[in-house]
Amino acid sequence: QNQVPAYEEMSVAYRTPVEPDDEVMYAPISPAAGAADVTEESDGEADATAPGKRHLEAATLPQLLQRITHFHYVDPELDAVVLFTYPVFTTASVLLTSLLKCFNDNRPDPSLAEEENTQRQVFRIRVINFLKHWTSTNALELQQHPELPVQIAEFLEQHAALVPKQQADIIRTNLQNLQILLVPGRALSRRFKTGSRQHLRPDSGEAVVMASQASASQLSLDNDLSPKDVALQMTLWHWKVYQEIPALEFISKERGPTRTPYLHKLQTMHTRVTYWAMGVLLAADGAPARLKKQKFLVRVTQQLWELGNFDLAWAVATGTQHVIVARITGSEWARFHRKHPRSAEMRQQHLNWYGDGVHLETLKEPLQQWHQMRNPCIPPMALYLKQLTHIYAREPSTIKHKGRELINLKLCRLLYRHVEELRRYQRYDYAAVEAEVVQEYLDNHLLPELTSDRAVEELKESYFARSYEIKPRGKTVS
């Protein structure tokens, strides 16, 4: 009963679905650039399903759902586009209601021919497949709407005879996992992340383990913590948040502690590390001590880069180049180059990566190389968020077509490719040993707790005051 005919057979046996020309809009696919590029709009008269000719550029929600559930179409990317970008054009509740309506509109009907009922069965199977992927991939979104998992569970009970048992069991398992997540304070489970895990080199945690034998109060930046200690523990601290960012936060147009809590926390961590690096230099007593601290921070940046933490490597580099400290250290770099030539070479490379005018394309190649080696990675989030802003600025959320407002699927496809790039960096896990005592030291002694924009401004004011204390206006540094 639950066998689905192969697509090749169905495409010959059944008719093309009816698509009102005011509810869909197509565009040709550029042979050179592939499906991502739209070169011109179609007049809607040519064959809508001609392979390699056109793809859907805009549609109403009913037509879009028909596109992803009708047997006549095979477009796995469009399924994923809808799955990851639906908050741009609808709500989770409306999407679920519309999907269940698609299912109910295609229940078996004894008065219809056998092939027509088989076609309806395919509709139902594709709705169930979408629900399966939705409940496994967008767990946090469903967690925020607890009435939806209940509605899905009731649907499975009511239609048990029409839903393949294997698929129903997978969805029920996903829903059970969601119920675990609904316990207050429960973190998002790693079971909802895709991909395998990759371990760091066996010696990656050795320095931190050695440092952790002392208590946090006994550790000092100069004598006990190496750049490797600091970089590794910062990365593990940072990774805990990055790995849990749900896909829908990556494409959110509005950001903040309420809208995008995980992403907001990650950005706050970046800012804290930047101000930590500035504080390390401002706390140094005299030029020789600052040179020593500069070397330390250059090495921390290098270690972060080698660990694949491109985000915090940028944070430390930004701190060392900030105008508050640059007005003091600018005249000291010539001495630094003479005294520490190897570190000076590293610093120049860091300036190439993270200097003025840095853009994402500069870092795309090392990011991709790092990922291809199956290494864990934390990308430079500020650059990706800037790219997201540009996508929204270029593409409207809807397109007016023949008097109708249609969902702009070009925007959705661009957002999907954006989020997929960020999600793939979550697939390989850091597995080094954490050193709680080192993290405690970082929290208590190195990283300022920035709880609000006002806290950032107050800290910046105090750093400016310290900077002018070290080097008054019009004076040179002794």
Side-chain angles (χ1 to χ4, degrees):
Q1 178 182 351
N2 292 328
Q3 292 297 313
V4 181
Y7 172 75
E8 291 75 9
E9 299 172 7
M10 294 187 296
S11 62
V12 175
Y14 304 121
R15 67 179 183 273
T16 303
V18 175
E19 293 180 322
D21 62 3
D22 65 338
E23 294 190 34
V24 294
M25 187 169 73
Y26 289 92
I29 298 174
S30 166
D37 296 328
V38 176
T39 56
E40 63 183 74
E41 296 178 11
S42 167
D43 59 8
E45 297 299 325
D47 178 14
T49 60
K53 299 296 183 184
R54 301 189 301 169
H55 71 130
L56 195 63
E57 186 178 71
T60 60
L61 180 59
Q63 287 298 320
L64 179 58
L65 293 182
Q66 174 173 271
R67 184 81 177 196
I68 66 174
T69 57
H70 199 286
F71 70 89
H72 192 79
Y73 304 108
V74 175
D75 190 348
E77 186 191 60
L78 184 60
D79 293 359
V81 167
V82 175
L83 185 67
F84 286 109
T85 68
Y86 69 84
V88 174
F89 54 82
T90 189
T91 65
S93 178
V94 170
L95 178 62
L96 179 59
T97 301
S98 301
L99 282 168
L100 299 188
K101 183 178 185 301
C102 286
F103 187 96
N104 288 320
D105 287 348
N106 287 280
R107 295 172 61 85
D109 186 345
S111 66
L112 297 177
E114 180 181 353
E115 69 176 28
E116 194 76 17
N117 274 314
T118 302
Q119 177 181 342
R120 288 185 168 214
Q121 182 187 8
V122 177
F123 266 108
R124 299 194 302 271
I125 294 296
R126 294 188 71 166
V127 169
I128 293 302
N129 281 336
F130 189 91
L131 289 176
K132 179 182 70 174
H133 293 302
W134 191 12
T135 54
S136 65
T137 304
N138 287 346
L140 190 61
E141 172 75 1
L142 293 174
Q143 181 190 8
Q144 294 169 350
H145 300 86
E147 72 281 1
L148 300 184
V150 173
Q151 191 176 347
I152 294 172
E154 292 174 350
F155 162 78
L156 292 176
E157 289 300 321
Q158 294 170 4
H159 301 87
L162 299 177
V163 179
K165 184 177 183 305
Q166 182 179 5
Q167 304 288 63
D169 288 344
I170 293 173
I171 295 174
R172 288 192 182 95
T173 299
N174 293 340
L175 295 177
Q176 289 171 359
N177 293 332
L178 282 173
Q179 293 305 312
I180 294 173
L181 291 176
L182 291 175
V183 176
R186 191 68 175 254
L188 182 63
S189 170
R190 283 292 295 172
R191 76 183 73 230
F192 295 106
K193 304 296 182 184
T194 57
S196 57
R197 295 186 177 188
Q198 177 72 20
H199 295 268
L200 290 174
R201 297 179 299 277
D203 64 342
S204 296
E206 289 180 1
V208 175
V209 173
M210 293 171 62
S212 67
Q213 295 173 357
S215 67
S217 61
Q218 294 173 323
L219 293 177
S220 71
L221 187 62
D222 293 324
N223 300 320
D224 299 301
L225 293 176
S226 70
K228 188 174 185 178
D229 295 341
V230 174
L232 180 58
Q233 191 57 35
M234 277 185 176
T235 295
L236 297 177
W237 167 72
H238 203 44
W239 173 255
K240 285 181 182 179
V241 177
Y242 178 71
Q243 69 170 341
E244 300 295 356
I245 300 175
L248 297 183
E249 283 197 20
F250 285 135
I251 63 165
S252 179
K253 192 173 184 178
E254 299 179 10
R255 296 189 286 272
T258 303
R259 295 272 187 177
T260 54
Y262 286 92
L263 197 52
H264 178 76
K265 185 173 182 180
L266 193 82
Q267 291 175 283
T268 300
M269 296 167 94
H270 180 104
T271 303
R272 289 177 66 185
V273 170
T274 295
Y275 277 86
W276 162 74
M278 295 163 61
V280 168
L281 295 176
L282 292 173
D285 186 14
R290 268 192 303 278
L291 288 179
K292 186 176 180 181
K293 301 297 186 186
Q294 286 280 21
K295 178 182 177 182
F296 182 88
L297 292 174
V298 166
R299 297 282 177 161
V300 168
T301 304
Q302 185 66 28
Q303 288 292 325
L304 287 166
W305 178 276
E306 292 177 4
L307 287 166
N309 192 341
F310 301 100
D311 194 52
L312 288 192
W314 188 11
V316 178
T318 300
T320 62
Q321 299 166 37
H322 197 283
V323 64
I324 292 176
V325 296
R327 62 180 299 275
I328 300 171
T329 61
S331 61
E332 298 174 348
W333 283 114
R335 190 188 314 175
F336 181 85
H337 279 247
R338 291 194 303 270
K339 191 173 180 63
H340 306 295
R342 176 69 182 120
S343 294
E345 184 180 334
M346 291 180 184
R347 176 179 177 268
Q348 185 56 53
Q349 183 62 63
H350 301 162
L351 290 174
N352 294 339
W353 294 331
Y354 299 117
D356 292 339
V358 63
H359 53 86
L360 190 56
E361 295 307 315
T362 305
L363 298 174
K364 275 290 183 72
E365 185 176 349
L367 275 167
Q368 291 170 355
Q369 289 176 350
W370 196 261
H371 179 70
Q372 288 169 359
M373 292 187 292
R374 296 179 177 267
N375 286 321
C377 170
I378 306 175
M381 288 306 304
L383 294 180
Y384 277 92
L385 295 179
K386 183 178 179 180
Q387 182 185 56
L388 179 67
T389 301
H390 289 165
I391 291 173
Y392 277 115
R394 291 198 312 266
E395 292 293 333
S397 57
T398 60
I399 296 176
K400 196 159 188 176
H401 177 66
K402 296 188 178 181
R404 300 287 296 271
E405 291 287 336
L406 307 184
I407 299 165
N408 182 1
L409 292 173
K410 183 179 179 183
L411 169 65
C412 295
R413 290 178 192 274
L414 288 171
L415 292 175
Y416 168 67
R417 294 185 177 101
H418 173 82
V419 73
E420 262 302 281
E421 191 166 332
L422 287 167
R423 286 181 71 244
R424 74 185 184 195
Y425 296 132
Q426 295 176 311
R427 292 174 183 163
Y428 305 113
D429 206 352
Y430 287 95
V433 178
E434 291 188 31
E436 293 182 6
V437 66
V438 178
Q439 187 58 54
E440 181 184 348
Y441 179 81
L442 294 174
D443 287 337
N444 295 335
H445 298 276
L446 300 181
L447 302 175
E449 188 62 55
L450 304 175
T451 56
S452 66
D453 291 341
R454 180 59 191 159
V456 174
E457 289 304 313
E458 290 176 353
L459 182 63
K460 185 183 293 186
E461 289 172 8
S462 69
Y463 277 12
F464 262 119
R466 172 59 180 161
S467 176
Y468 285 112
E469 179 185 336
I470 297 171
K471 182 185 176 182
R473 294 179 189 274
K475 301 290 185 180
T476 58
V477 183
S478 59

